[in-house]
Amino acid sequence: MPPSGMNTDVQSAPVRSVVVVGGGTAGWMTAASLAHHLGRLGVSITLVESSAVGTIGVGEATVPAIRRYFQSLGLNAFDVMKATNGTIKLAIEFDGWRHEGHSFMHPFGRFGLEAGPIAFHDLWNRLRKHGEAGTLDEYAMGTQLARAGRMMLPPENPRVDFENFDWAVHFDASRFAAFLRTFAEARGVRRIDAKVTEVLRGEAESITGVRLDNGEVLAGSLFVDCSGFHRLLIDRTLQSGFVDWRHWLPCDRAVALPCAPKDPHDISPYTRSRALEAGWTWRIPLQNRVGNGYVYSSDHIGDDEAQAALRAQLEGDVLGEPNLVRFRAGHVKRFWIGNCVAIGLSSGFLEPLESTSISLIQMGIDKLLHYWPDEGMAPEALALHSAEYNRLSVTEFERVRDFIVLHYSANGRQSAAGKEDLWRYCREMTLPETLVRKIALYKTRGLLQQFSSESFFEPSWLCMYGNLGIDAASWDPLTNLLPLPELVDVTRRVREDIARIARGALPHREFLRQAGALAL
C-alpha cells in the first residue's frame, strides 16, 4: 500500500507533453534542462509566458552549483557570462552583521589546512584560545582573492588543502532567461506569448489543460508551475497550502535599483551584504552596472523610507526605476501534486541573503529529472515518487532556512533606544530545533554537524560561527598532541602563502578579458 495521504489517481500513461506555465529564470531553466535531457524521448515542451506580465528579474548572484547547471547543458561558463554581462563571485562580504564596523567574508571552498585526521576548525579553535589564530578570512583563498580584486582558476591538482576554492557568477537575470530561451527553442521548445485565463481540472488532483487569452486551450500530461508568487497552478488551483516562516525570517519586502559603477574598470569579484536598521542591502557588480537592493521588514520601516535608505547607498547614477517586491518566507506544503510540479518562486521563497534562489530552482529541476515518470509506472509508484520529491524539497528548504536564520539570530548589532528592533527580535526569537542542535554541538566541542540534504557544508557553518562570535568550548583532543609553537608557525606561513598567491593573480577584469567573458 502507498503511504497514507498519497494520491493514487495519478495516470500511468507516459509523459509525452510538458506545459511550463511562466517564463523568467525558473521557467527557462526548467524548459532548457528538460529539452536537453528528454528530447530524445519524444517529450514535447511548451512554455507559456505573457510579455505583458513582468518577472521579478533581480536575482543576479548565484552559488557554485550554477556551474554544474551550465555543464549539464554542455555550456561554457564564460560564454554564458559574456552573454549576460556576468562577473566572478568568490564570496559574500557581510558588513555590520556582528556589529557596526565589523566585516567578514563567506567564501566558497575550504579554510586553511588539515593535520592528518585533525580538521582545520579544531586547529583554529585551539589557536584562537591562545590568541594565535588570526581571522578566518586569512585562511581562505577565495576571500583573499576577493579582497585583492583578483581571480584565477583553482588548480586541477592542488598541492595543499588551501589551494582548493570554488567560485560562482553574477549575471543579469533577464539576459540569462533570454539566453536559455534561445537554447531551449533551438531544441524544440515551443513558446506561446499569452496569459493563462483558466486552469482546467481533471479527476482528483490533476490538471488537464490551461485556457489562454488568445483562445487556445493547451493540454498536457505534466504541468510545471513557474508562475512565481502567483502560484497559479500549485496553490490557486490545487490548494497546496503554504508554510509561513515569517516568525523566523521577518523581512517581507525588497526594493531593487541598479546604478552606474563608481569605477567601470574596477569590478569587485564578490557580493556585498550590509546590515542596516531594518534589514540589509546587497551590492552585486556586473560588467555594465551595479545591482543594488534593500531587503527589509515592513514592520520596521516604510517603503518610501527604505527606498531613500537604498538610494543613499548608491555609488553612481541611477539606471532604472525602483522595483518593489513583496514576499513571504516559506514554501508550499506540497511541491508536486498529481501531474503538477512547482519550481522557483511558485514553490517557495527564502530571501537572497546567501544567493540560494537559483540553486533551489536547480535542485527542483534535478529532482524532477531523477523522479521522472517511467512509461509503464503504476499509479502507486508515481505517488511514491511525488511523495519523495515533496519530502526532499521540504528538507532542502529547511536546511537553507536554518543557515539564513543563523545570520540573523547571531547578530550583535546595538544602537540607540528605539532603534534596531528587528535585530533585537532576531537575537531573542526561538530558533528551529534543528538549528538549536547544530549550534549546541558546535559550542560544546566544535562539532560541525551536517544533516541530510544540506546546501551549505562545514566551511560555511564554521565561517558564520567564527565570525559572528559563536565560540567552541573545546576541540578534537588529538589537536592537543601537536606542539603549539609548531602549530602557530605553520598556520602563520599558511596565511602568508595564501595572501602571496592571491596577490599574484590577475585583476578581475583582466581575467574576464583573457577568459573571453567580457561583453563590452
Side-chain angles (χ1 to χ4, degrees):
M1 292 293 292
S4 176
M6 252 187 209
N7 172 24
T8 58
D9 295 325
V10 181
Q11 298 298 309
S12 59
V15 173
R16 293 299 188 198
S17 57
V18 178
V19 176
V20 180
V21 175
T25 305
W28 285 112
M29 281 184 70
T30 302
S33 194
L34 295 184
H36 180 75
H37 292 286
L38 304 176
R40 289 180 295 176
L41 298 179
V43 178
S44 69
I45 301 165
T46 304
L47 184 145
V48 181
E49 65 175 345
S50 173
S51 55
V53 178
T55 59
I56 298 297
V58 297
E60 297 170 328
T62 66
V63 296
I66 191 64
R67 290 174 32 239
R68 292 194 290 277
Y69 177 80
F70 298 157
Q71 293 165 2
S72 75
L73 300 183
L75 297 171
N76 179 283
F78 299 117
D79 290 341
V80 179
M81 292 170 67
K82 183 174 183 179
T84 59
N85 285 316
T87 58
I88 299 293
K89 178 185 173 184
L90 289 164
I92 302 174
E93 180 186 37
F94 288 91
D95 184 2
W97 282 75
R98 183 166 182 177
H99 57 75
E100 201 64 43
H102 180 269
S103 173
F104 68 92
M105 284 201 174
H106 173 203
F108 302 124
R110 303 168 65 173
F111 290 98
L113 78 172
E114 299 176 349
I118 305 172
F120 165 76
H121 65 271
D122 289 308
L123 302 175
W124 186 76
N125 276 323
R126 183 185 176 201
L127 289 167
R128 181 184 53 79
K129 193 75 170 180
H130 292 277
E132 300 283 357
T135 67
L136 284 172
D137 276 6
E138 296 176 281
Y139 289 94
M141 184 66 72
T143 293
Q144 291 305 304
L145 286 166
R147 295 282 190 203
R150 295 174 178 270
M151 175 60 184
M152 63 183 185
L153 293 177
E156 292 185 8
N157 299 300
R159 298 166 300 162
V160 289
D161 295 337
F162 62 74
E163 289 186 339
N164 278 303
F165 69 95
D166 212 341
W167 56 279
V169 301
H170 307 119
F171 53 49
D172 183 315
S174 297
R175 285 179 175 264
F176 183 53
F179 179 89
L180 291 178
R181 173 185 168 183
T182 300
F183 177 94
E185 289 183 323
R187 285 152 183 80
V189 173
R190 177 192 176 203
R191 174 185 180 268
I192 300 177
D193 188 343
K195 186 177 180 180
V196 174
T197 59
E198 182 183 3
V199 180
L200 306 178
R201 291 285 301 269
E203 295 181 359
E205 294 181 314
S206 67
I207 296 171
T208 59
V210 292
R211 191 182 308 277
L212 309 181
D213 61 1
N214 63 7
E216 183 177 356
V217 173
L218 190 60
S221 47
L222 180 71
F223 291 81
V224 184
D225 188 346
C226 296
S227 63
F229 292 139
H230 299 291
R231 301 190 174 103
L232 181 62
L233 307 183
I234 201 70
D235 196 19
R236 292 193 182 184
T237 301
L238 298 175
Q239 287 85 49
S240 66
F242 191 80
V243 178
D244 195 325
W245 285 336
R246 192 178 180 193
H247 52 291
W248 286 315
L249 296 168
C251 288
D252 60 349
R253 295 192 184 179
V255 58
L257 192 60
C259 75
K262 182 178 180 180
D263 181 355
H265 300 288
D266 183 14
I267 307 173
S268 303
Y270 59 90
T271 299
R272 185 184 67 209
S273 167
R274 174 173 291 167
L276 296 184
E277 179 183 318
W280 58 275
T281 60
W282 75 72
R283 179 188 184 275
I284 299 174
L286 302 182
Q287 293 181 29
N288 61 328
R289 61 176 170 83
V290 175
N292 307 278
Y294 188 3
V295 175
Y296 58 96
S297 164
S298 62
D299 287 342
H300 297 89
I301 194 173
D303 295 340
D304 292 341
E305 188 181 356
Q307 186 181 139
L310 177 61
R311 288 181 181 274
Q313 301 276 317
L314 302 185
E315 64 198 71
D317 295 336
V318 173
L319 298 180
E321 293 298 317
N323 183 7
L324 179 64
V325 181
R326 294 177 172 85
F327 59 83
R328 285 188 298 163
H331 62 80
V332 294
K333 291 181 179 178
R334 291 186 292 166
F335 297 70
W336 183 340
I337 301 175
N339 63 340
C340 176
V341 180
I343 291 179
L345 298 179
S346 61
S347 69
F349 182 78
L350 292 170
E351 62 184 72
L353 184 59
E354 284 285 355
S355 310
T356 51
S357 292
I358 290 176
S359 67
L360 286 168
I361 293 171
Q362 192 174 339
M363 286 188 279
I365 295 169
D366 289 344
K367 289 195 300 294
L368 179 56
L369 289 170
H370 183 72
Y371 292 107
W372 190 259
D374 290 335
E375 290 192 8
M377 187 174 287
E380 292 82 2
L382 280 171
L384 184 64
H385 276 215
S386 63
E388 188 64 7
Y389 184 103
N390 288 331
R391 185 191 68 81
L392 288 172
S393 297
V394 169
T395 303
E396 289 163 357
F397 265 79
E398 288 176 345
R399 298 293 179 261
V400 175
R401 174 205 65 194
D402 284 0
F403 191 59
I404 295 176
V405 169
L406 173 65
H407 296 52
Y408 281 100
S409 64
N411 84 85
R413 292 183 62 84
Q414 301 292 334
S415 188
K419 300 290 186 180
E420 309 285 342
D421 288 340
L422 169 68
W423 301 99
R424 186 180 303 109
Y425 168 84
C426 291
R427 284 195 299 272
E428 296 173 355
M429 66 185 174
T430 301
L431 302 181
E433 186 273 335
T434 45
L435 180 56
V436 170
R437 271 195 291 154
K438 279 193 173 186
I439 295 173
L441 286 166
Y442 183 76
K443 282 184 173 180
T444 54
R445 214 215 66 181
L447 296 175
L448 295 170
Q449 183 68 47
Q450 293 280 278
F451 299 143
S452 62
S453 301
E454 295 276 10
S455 292
F456 294 95
F457 302 107
E458 290 185 358
S460 294
W461 287 89
L462 173 64
C463 180
M464 292 302 139
Y465 293 147
N467 284 298
L468 291 175
I470 298 176
D471 296 331
S474 185
W475 45 82
D476 185 339
L478 288 176
T479 309
N480 296 321
L481 299 178
L482 301 173
L484 184 62
E486 292 183 20
L487 185 56
V488 169
D489 181 60
V490 168
T491 52
R492 175 187 56 79
R493 286 189 281 115
V494 165
R495 299 197 301 271
E496 292 173 352
D497 286 346
I498 291 172
R500 174 181 54 78
I501 294 171
R503 288 193 302 269
L506 289 172
H508 182 199
R509 186 181 180 86
E510 177 61 18
F511 175 87
L512 294 176
R513 188 190 69 79
Q514 292 194 20
L518 272 184
L520 306 178

